[in-house]
Amino acid sequence: MSRALPRRAAGVFTSVLLAATTATALSHSAAAADGTLGSAAAAKGRYFGTAVAAGHLGESAYTGTLDREYNAVTPENEMKWDATESTRNTFTFGAADQIVGHAQSKGMKIRGHTLVWHSQLPSWVSGLGAADLRTAMNNHITQVMQHYKGKIYAWDVVNEAFQDGSSGARRSSPFQDKLGNGFIEEAFRTARSVDPDAKLCYNDYNTDGVNAKSNAVYNMVKDFKARGVPIDCVGFQSHFNSASPVPSDYQANLQRFADLGVDVQITELDIEGSGTAQANNYANVVKACLAVTRCTGMTVWGITDKYSWRSSGTPLLFDSNYAKKPAYDAVLTTLGGTGGGDGGGGGGGNGGDPTAACTVAYARTSDWNDGYNGQVTVTAGSAPITNWTVTLTFPSGQQVSALWNGSPTWNGSTATVRSTYNGSLAAGASTDFGFTVMKNGNAAAPTLGTCTAS
């Protein structure tokens, strides 16, 4: 979802850059022999990308895996409204520029994510009246797209504008509530006027199979195509787990959108699980894309499990130590490359006092202007445990907007987080819980208390 709780565009380049990029793609397609995801996908006429966080580009294992395996990137948070225009008409592009510059230096495509979205929206936007909001929306689209014109392959122009459930209705948002149904069309028309060469996409989640929500998006795209509204592609986020598995009609759903005359892209793929089951699910997603001629590429939502927004579900192709998982081999083989992964498994615990029942470690996994994601890793001691409890105190002013993989109770700014389904750990094994925090002017880290276990 874009950053998702939810969470990320490489451009049609100028003639010189296009020639360079084409040469890179041809060198990949000439040989999936180097056995990487990007080269194998290029041999099939597609890209295989990943979401990238600028804050991790200084980590050698992170950039090494990125540069070796992927031929496209999506900025995870760095192009969203709060990151680029936290104050009206003051634009900051430093973190996004870092990602774009790195991708260009490696000949990678870049997906722009995202221009109009109800989440990660600065508070000043919500306070505007209708006329002022329309001006601000169009100005934001214009300024961001002009800054990256010629560098972005495809933009997620509008993100997650439809409700979940059976209504097929639009989601309440400042744009929907004040501008009405026409805001999506207006955003696309503005985007086309700014950069006529970039692909313009609508992106959403829980639209992977045929259901009320995907039907509503389908009807919108059909209407847009019939009336000449500029839309080139539809993004399917494809966040899957046991409660929301890969639907049996996934390929058929992609195909029906493609039949409308738009490209389809898998934009935020992650699949919780491990071993053969996870590998098979990943393979089925890739097979579906390969079977749909207009499925132009796939993007996984992150490189390593340790930085995933769903890290406890180990949903990515590389474990916390950047080791290739069985899912990696399945994807590569399905793309027509050669396997040779070094097995699965997540990163080990942090050790700690061997007599302790459990130990904890904290890491900030992503950061943007007015918020951040944090992760606490819980590691069992020298004996198995069945439950754990961790205390966490947040600095003054900060507000936790979401917490997952744990059950919190609050005493002021202190959360006591207890295990849910993830309490049983073997000796030395680890799990984690995560949270999203709104900084409200205070960027300090929370204070991590002790871990108790039973």
Side-chain angles (χ1 to χ4, degrees):
M1 335 195 142
S2 303
R3 169 179 66 247
L5 269 174
R7 49 232 16 183
R8 285 127 39 71
V12 175
F13 299 109
T14 59
S15 58
V16 173
L17 287 174
L18 179 57
T21 304
T22 303
T24 300
L26 288 174
S27 67
H28 280 312
S29 62
D34 63 347
T36 67
L37 301 171
S39 63
K44 299 289 188 181
R46 289 161 174 82
Y47 64 82
F48 201 94
T50 184
V52 172
H56 300 319
L57 289 176
E59 182 180 339
S60 59
Y62 185 92
T63 53
T65 306
L66 167 65
D67 295 349
R68 182 184 71 247
E69 295 289 346
Y70 299 98
N71 61 358
V73 302
T74 301
E76 189 170 350
N77 292 295
E78 290 81 356
M79 286 185 179
K80 292 171 182 171
W81 198 315
D82 62 350
T84 54
E85 193 188 3
S86 60
T87 301
R88 188 170 188 179
N89 257 335
T90 299
F91 289 86
T92 54
F93 297 111
D97 285 352
Q98 187 179 356
I99 294 173
V100 170
H102 185 91
Q104 285 188 295
S105 73
K106 304 297 179 182
M108 298 175 176
K109 288 177 179 279
I110 309 156
R111 296 191 79 260
H113 178 78
T114 176
L115 295 169
V116 181
W117 186 32
H118 68 276
S119 186
Q120 290 180 245
L121 196 63
S123 59
W124 65 264
V125 180
S126 302
L128 299 178
D132 218 8
L133 179 62
R134 172 171 282 108
T135 299
M137 180 185 78
N138 289 324
N139 181 63
H140 181 80
I141 294 169
T142 299
Q143 297 300 323
V144 176
M145 290 188 71
Q146 281 182 344
H147 182 79
Y148 292 109
K149 188 172 183 179
K151 300 177 182 178
I152 301 301
Y153 162 71
W155 278 103
D156 291 330
V157 178
V158 176
N159 197 51
E160 300 175 4
F162 286 83
Q163 292 181 16
D164 289 323
S166 59
S167 70
R170 296 285 186 88
R171 178 194 297 274
S172 175
S173 72
F175 308 104
Q176 179 66 36
D177 298 345
K178 296 176 183 179
L179 303 182
N181 286 348
F183 89 88
I184 300 179
E185 176 176 342
E186 184 168 354
F188 275 85
R189 291 192 183 279
T190 299
R192 176 67 88 226
S193 71
V194 178
D195 189 348
D197 294 325
K199 297 280 189 180
L200 305 181
C201 306
Y202 176 79
N203 190 54
D204 217 325
Y205 69 98
N206 286 352
T207 54
D208 307 291
V210 177
N211 55 39
K213 188 175 183 179
S214 66
N215 285 341
V217 176
Y218 178 89
N219 289 333
M220 178 189 73
V221 175
K222 184 177 181 180
D223 171 63
F224 280 10
K225 295 298 290 185
R227 293 191 295 109
V229 179
I231 185 170
D232 305 305
C233 41
V234 177
F236 299 83
Q237 292 186 15
S238 298
H239 297 292
F240 298 125
N241 55 33
S242 58
S244 179
V246 181
S248 59
D249 56 0
Y250 186 64
Q251 179 182 323
N253 189 50
L254 296 179
Q255 186 64 61
R256 70 166 178 156
F257 276 87
D259 290 344
L260 292 176
V262 292
D263 292 340
V264 294
Q265 301 170 356
I266 299 168
T267 55
E268 302 181 19
L269 176 64
D270 53 21
I271 305 177
E272 293 189 5
S274 61
T276 301
Q278 183 183 46
N280 289 341
N281 282 325
Y282 262 105
N284 287 335
V285 169
V286 175
K287 287 175 185 175
C289 180
L290 294 179
V292 177
T293 303
R294 294 199 69 153
C295 183
T296 55
M298 295 154 275
T299 299
V300 289
W301 203 246
I303 296 173
T304 167
D305 284 338
K306 72 175 177 176
Y307 295 139
S308 168
W309 68 290
R310 298 170 124 181
S311 58
S312 66
T314 61
L316 298 174
L317 302 179
F318 294 87
D319 71 16
S320 295
N321 295 318
Y322 295 95
K324 299 170 184 176
K325 296 162 61 175
Y328 171 94
D329 290 336
V331 169
L332 186 60
T333 300
T334 305
L335 288 170
T338 54
D342 37 12
N350 61 3
D353 180 356
T355 65
C358 58
T359 56
V360 286
Y362 167 74
R364 184 171 297 197
T365 56
S366 60
D367 199 297
W368 57 98
N369 285 355
D370 60 353
Y372 65 88
N373 282 347
Q375 177 178 292
V376 174
T377 300
V378 179
T379 302
S382 58
I385 63 174
T386 56
N387 293 286
W388 50 261
T389 302
V390 177
T391 58
L392 200 61
T393 301
F394 291 88
S396 175
Q398 291 189 1
Q399 182 177 0
V400 177
S401 60
L403 189 148
W404 54 96
N405 301 333
S407 177
T409 56
W410 290 90
N411 181 10
S413 60
T414 298
T416 299
V417 183
R418 294 174 174 83
S419 53
T420 52
Y421 65 89
N422 53 351
S424 296
L425 296 174
S430 298
T431 189
D432 49 62
F433 65 90
F435 43 86
T436 298
V437 175
M438 298 297 103
K439 295 176 184 175
N440 294 324
N442 191 341
T447 301
L448 187 61
T450 57
C451 180
T452 58
S454 60

Short mmCIF file of all heavy atoms in Angstrom, two decimals, residues 325-369:
data_model
loop_
_atom_site.label_atom_id
_atom_site.label_comp_id
_atom_site.label_asym_id
_atom_site.label_seq_id
_atom_site.Cartn_x
_atom_site.Cartn_y
_atom_site.Cartn_z
N LYS A 325 16.21 -16.92 -0.54
CA LYS A 325 15.26 -17.86 0.01
C LYS A 325 14.73 -18.79 -1.10
O LYS A 325 14.93 -18.51 -2.28
CB LYS A 325 14.12 -17.10 0.67
CG LYS A 325 14.57 -16.27 1.87
CD LYS A 325 13.58 -15.19 2.27
CE LYS A 325 12.25 -15.75 2.68
NZ LYS A 325 11.35 -14.68 3.17
N PRO A 326 14.07 -19.88 -0.74
CA PRO A 326 13.46 -20.72 -1.79
C PRO A 326 12.56 -19.92 -2.72
O PRO A 326 12.47 -20.23 -3.91
CB PRO A 326 12.67 -21.75 -0.97
CG PRO A 326 13.43 -21.88 0.30
CD PRO A 326 13.95 -20.49 0.60
N ALA A 327 11.90 -18.89 -2.22
CA ALA A 327 11.05 -18.05 -3.07
C ALA A 327 11.88 -17.36 -4.15
O ALA A 327 11.41 -17.17 -5.28
CB ALA A 327 10.32 -17.02 -2.21
N TYR A 328 13.10 -16.97 -3.82
CA TYR A 328 13.98 -16.35 -4.82
C TYR A 328 14.23 -17.34 -5.97
O TYR A 328 14.10 -17.00 -7.15
CB TYR A 328 15.30 -15.94 -4.19
CG TYR A 328 16.34 -15.49 -5.20
CD1 TYR A 328 16.49 -14.15 -5.51
CD2 TYR A 328 17.16 -16.42 -5.86
CE1 TYR A 328 17.44 -13.73 -6.46
CE2 TYR A 328 18.10 -16.02 -6.79
CZ TYR A 328 18.23 -14.67 -7.09
OH TYR A 328 19.15 -14.28 -8.03
N ASP A 329 14.61 -18.56 -5.62
CA ASP A 329 14.88 -19.57 -6.65
C ASP A 329 13.65 -19.83 -7.51
O ASP A 329 13.74 -20.00 -8.73
CB ASP A 329 15.35 -20.87 -6.00
CG ASP A 329 16.73 -20.76 -5.38
OD1 ASP A 329 17.50 -19.87 -5.81
OD2 ASP A 329 17.03 -21.54 -4.46
N ALA A 330 12.47 -19.84 -6.85
CA ALA A 330 11.24 -20.10 -7.60
C ALA A 330 10.96 -18.98 -8.60
O ALA A 330 10.56 -19.24 -9.74
CB ALA A 330 10.07 -20.24 -6.61
N VAL A 331 11.16 -17.74 -8.18
CA VAL A 331 10.95 -16.61 -9.08
C VAL A 331 11.93 -16.66 -10.24
O VAL A 331 11.55 -16.51 -11.41
CB VAL A 331 11.07 -15.27 -8.31
CG1 VAL A 331 11.11 -14.10 -9.29
CG2 VAL A 331 9.91 -15.11 -7.34
N LEU A 332 13.20 -16.86 -9.92
CA LEU A 332 14.22 -16.87 -10.96
C LEU A 332 13.96 -17.99 -11.97
O LEU A 332 14.06 -17.79 -13.19
CB LEU A 332 15.60 -17.02 -10.34
CG LEU A 332 16.79 -16.91 -11.30
CD1 LEU A 332 16.81 -15.56 -12.00
CD2 LEU A 332 18.10 -17.15 -10.55
N THR A 333 13.63 -19.16 -11.47
CA THR A 333 13.36 -20.29 -12.36
C THR A 333 12.14 -20.02 -13.23
O THR A 333 12.14 -20.32 -14.43
CB THR A 333 13.15 -21.57 -11.53
OG1 THR A 333 14.33 -21.85 -10.76
CG2 THR A 333 12.85 -22.76 -12.42
N THR A 334 11.09 -19.45 -12.65
CA THR A 334 9.89 -19.15 -13.41
C THR A 334 10.16 -18.12 -14.50
O THR A 334 9.57 -18.16 -15.59
CB THR A 334 8.78 -18.66 -12.47
OG1 THR A 334 8.57 -19.63 -11.43
CG2 THR A 334 7.47 -18.46 -13.22
N LEU A 335 11.07 -17.20 -14.21
CA LEU A 335 11.45 -16.20 -15.21
C LEU A 335 12.36 -16.78 -16.30
O LEU A 335 12.66 -16.09 -17.28
CB LEU A 335 12.17 -15.03 -14.53
CG LEU A 335 11.29 -14.09 -13.69
CD1 LEU A 335 12.17 -13.13 -12.89
CD2 LEU A 335 10.32 -13.31 -14.57
N GLY A 336 12.80 -18.01 -16.11
CA GLY A 336 13.65 -18.64 -17.10
C GLY A 336 15.13 -18.56 -16.79
O GLY A 336 15.97 -18.98 -17.60
N GLY A 337 15.47 -18.05 -15.61
CA GLY A 337 16.86 -17.99 -15.19
C GLY A 337 17.28 -19.29 -14.54
O GLY A 337 16.53 -20.26 -14.49
N THR A 338 18.49 -19.32 -14.03
CA THR A 338 18.98 -20.51 -13.35
C THR A 338 19.05 -20.25 -11.87
O THR A 338 19.44 -19.16 -11.44
CB THR A 338 20.38 -20.89 -13.86
OG1 THR A 338 21.25 -19.75 -13.73
CG2 THR A 338 20.32 -21.30 -15.31
N GLY A 339 18.65 -21.23 -11.05
CA GLY A 339 18.58 -21.09 -9.60
C GLY A 339 19.94 -21.06 -8.96
O GLY A 339 20.92 -20.61 -9.51
N GLY A 340 20.02 -21.58 -7.76
CA GLY A 340 21.29 -21.56 -7.06
C GLY A 340 21.24 -20.70 -5.83
O GLY A 340 22.26 -20.19 -5.39
N GLY A 341 20.03 -20.54 -5.26
CA GLY A 341 19.93 -19.79 -4.02
C GLY A 341 20.60 -20.54 -2.90
O GLY A 341 20.87 -21.74 -2.97
N ASP A 342 20.86 -19.84 -1.80
CA ASP A 342 21.56 -20.48 -0.70
C ASP A 342 20.63 -20.74 0.46
O ASP A 342 21.01 -20.70 1.60
CB ASP A 342 22.77 -19.64 -0.24
CG ASP A 342 22.48 -18.16 -0.29
OD1 ASP A 342 21.31 -17.79 -0.46
OD2 ASP A 342 23.44 -17.38 -0.18
N GLY A 343 19.38 -21.07 0.12
CA GLY A 343 18.49 -21.56 1.14
C GLY A 343 17.73 -20.46 1.85
O GLY A 343 17.97 -19.29 1.68
N GLY A 344 16.79 -20.87 2.68
CA GLY A 344 15.92 -19.92 3.34
C GLY A 344 16.32 -19.63 4.75
O GLY A 344 17.41 -19.94 5.19
N GLY A 345 15.36 -19.06 5.47
CA GLY A 345 15.59 -18.76 6.87
C GLY A 345 15.84 -17.30 7.10
O GLY A 345 16.50 -16.65 6.32
N GLY A 346 15.33 -16.80 8.19
CA GLY A 346 15.53 -15.40 8.53
C GLY A 346 16.78 -15.20 9.32
O GLY A 346 17.50 -16.13 9.68
N GLY A 347 17.08 -13.96 9.63
CA GLY A 347 18.25 -13.62 10.44
C GLY A 347 18.08 -14.14 11.84
O GLY A 347 16.99 -14.22 12.39
N GLY A 348 19.18 -14.50 12.47
CA GLY A 348 19.14 -15.01 13.82
C GLY A 348 18.90 -13.91 14.82
O GLY A 348 18.81 -12.74 14.52
N GLY A 349 18.78 -14.28 16.09
CA GLY A 349 18.56 -13.31 17.15
C GLY A 349 19.82 -12.55 17.46
O GLY A 349 20.88 -12.77 16.90
N ASN A 350 19.67 -11.65 18.42
CA ASN A 350 20.82 -10.84 18.77
C ASN A 350 21.63 -11.44 19.90
O ASN A 350 22.54 -10.83 20.44
CB ASN A 350 20.38 -9.41 19.13
CG ASN A 350 19.44 -9.39 20.32
OD1 ASN A 350 19.15 -10.41 20.92
ND2 ASN A 350 18.95 -8.21 20.67
N GLY A 351 21.28 -12.65 20.28
CA GLY A 351 22.05 -13.30 21.34
C GLY A 351 21.63 -12.74 22.68
O GLY A 351 20.60 -13.06 23.21
N GLY A 352 22.47 -11.88 23.24
CA GLY A 352 22.16 -11.31 24.53
C GLY A 352 22.59 -12.22 25.65
O GLY A 352 23.30 -13.22 25.46
N ASP A 353 22.20 -11.91 26.87
CA ASP A 353 22.54 -12.71 28.05
C ASP A 353 21.95 -14.09 27.93
O ASP A 353 20.73 -14.24 27.85
CB ASP A 353 22.00 -11.99 29.28
CG ASP A 353 22.29 -12.73 30.57
OD1 ASP A 353 22.85 -13.85 30.51
OD2 ASP A 353 21.96 -12.19 31.63
N PRO A 354 22.75 -15.16 27.92
CA PRO A 354 22.20 -16.50 27.72
C PRO A 354 21.29 -16.95 28.83
O PRO A 354 20.54 -17.91 28.69
CB PRO A 354 23.46 -17.39 27.63
CG PRO A 354 24.52 -16.62 28.34
CD PRO A 354 24.22 -15.19 28.05
N THR A 355 21.33 -16.27 30.00
CA THR A 355 20.44 -16.65 31.09
C THR A 355 19.12 -15.89 31.04
O THR A 355 18.22 -16.18 31.81
CB THR A 355 21.11 -16.37 32.44
OG1 THR A 355 21.29 -14.95 32.58
CG2 THR A 355 22.46 -17.06 32.54
N ALA A 356 19.02 -14.91 30.15
CA ALA A 356 17.80 -14.12 30.07
C ALA A 356 16.71 -14.88 29.35
O ALA A 356 16.98 -15.70 28.47
CB ALA A 356 18.08 -12.80 29.34
N ALA A 357 15.46 -14.62 29.73
CA ALA A 357 14.34 -15.27 29.07
C ALA A 357 14.14 -14.73 27.66
O ALA A 357 13.79 -15.46 26.76
CB ALA A 357 13.07 -15.09 29.90
N CYS A 358 14.37 -13.43 27.50
CA CYS A 358 14.29 -12.84 26.17
C CYS A 358 15.01 -11.50 26.17
O CYS A 358 15.15 -10.86 27.22
CB CYS A 358 12.85 -12.67 25.69
SG CYS A 358 11.79 -11.65 26.75
N THR A 359 15.49 -11.11 25.02
CA THR A 359 16.15 -9.82 24.85
C THR A 359 15.47 -9.08 23.69
O THR A 359 14.78 -9.69 22.87
CB THR A 359 17.65 -9.97 24.55
OG1 THR A 359 17.82 -10.81 23.41
CG2 THR A 359 18.38 -10.58 25.74
N VAL A 360 15.69 -7.77 23.63
CA VAL A 360 15.04 -6.97 22.60
C VAL A 360 16.04 -6.02 21.95
O VAL A 360 17.03 -5.62 22.56
CB VAL A 360 13.86 -6.15 23.17
CG1 VAL A 360 12.67 -7.04 23.44
CG2 VAL A 360 14.27 -5.40 24.43
N ALA A 361 15.76 -5.66 20.69
CA ALA A 361 16.56 -4.68 19.97
C ALA A 361 15.61 -3.83 19.14
O ALA A 361 14.58 -4.32 18.65
CB ALA A 361 17.59 -5.35 19.08
N TYR A 362 15.94 -2.55 18.97
CA TYR A 362 15.11 -1.62 18.24
C TYR A 362 15.84 -1.10 17.01
O TYR A 362 17.05 -0.85 17.05
CB TYR A 362 14.70 -0.43 19.11
CG TYR A 362 14.10 0.72 18.33
CD1 TYR A 362 12.81 0.64 17.82
CD2 TYR A 362 14.84 1.87 18.08
CE1 TYR A 362 12.27 1.68 17.08
CE2 TYR A 362 14.31 2.92 17.35
CZ TYR A 362 13.03 2.83 16.85
OH TYR A 362 12.50 3.84 16.12
N ALA A 363 15.08 -0.92 15.90
CA ALA A 363 15.63 -0.30 14.69
C ALA A 363 14.55 0.54 14.03
O ALA A 363 13.37 0.18 14.04
CB ALA A 363 16.13 -1.36 13.72
N ARG A 364 14.96 1.68 13.47
CA ARG A 364 14.05 2.50 12.66
C ARG A 364 14.18 2.01 11.23
O ARG A 364 15.24 2.10 10.64
CB ARG A 364 14.41 3.98 12.77
CG ARG A 364 13.43 4.88 12.04
CD ARG A 364 13.67 6.36 12.34
NE ARG A 364 13.45 6.67 13.75
CZ ARG A 364 13.27 7.90 14.22
NH1 ARG A 364 13.28 8.94 13.39
NH2 ARG A 364 13.08 8.11 15.50
N THR A 365 13.09 1.51 10.67
CA THR A 365 13.16 0.86 9.37
C THR A 365 12.87 1.79 8.21
O THR A 365 13.23 1.49 7.07
CB THR A 365 12.20 -0.33 9.31
OG1 THR A 365 10.88 0.11 9.62
CG2 THR A 365 12.61 -1.41 10.33
N SER A 366 12.19 2.91 8.47
CA SER A 366 11.99 3.91 7.43
C SER A 366 11.67 5.23 8.10
O SER A 366 11.21 5.28 9.24
CB SER A 366 10.87 3.51 6.45
OG SER A 366 9.65 3.35 7.12
N ASP A 367 11.92 6.32 7.37
CA ASP A 367 11.82 7.65 7.96
C ASP A 367 11.35 8.62 6.90
O ASP A 367 11.79 8.55 5.75
CB ASP A 367 13.19 8.07 8.50
CG ASP A 367 13.10 9.19 9.53
OD1 ASP A 367 12.65 10.29 9.15
OD2 ASP A 367 13.48 8.97 10.69
N TRP A 368 10.42 9.50 7.25
CA TRP A 368 10.01 10.55 6.34
C TRP A 368 9.76 11.82 7.16
O TRP A 368 9.94 11.81 8.38
CB TRP A 368 8.79 10.15 5.52
CG TRP A 368 7.58 9.74 6.29
CD1 TRP A 368 6.50 10.49 6.60
CD2 TRP A 368 7.34 8.43 6.86
NE1 TRP A 368 5.59 9.75 7.32
CE2 TRP A 368 6.07 8.49 7.49
CE3 TRP A 368 8.05 7.24 6.89
CZ2 TRP A 368 5.51 7.39 8.15
CZ3 TRP A 368 7.49 6.15 7.54
CH2 TRP A 368 6.25 6.22 8.15
N ASN A 369 9.36 12.89 6.51
CA ASN A 369 9.35 14.20 7.18
C ASN A 369 8.60 14.20 8.50
O ASN A 369 9.10 14.67 9.51
CB ASN A 369 8.76 15.27 6.25
CG ASN A 369 9.72 15.69 5.16
OD1 ASN A 369 10.86 15.25 5.14
ND2 ASN A 369 9.27 16.54 4.26
#
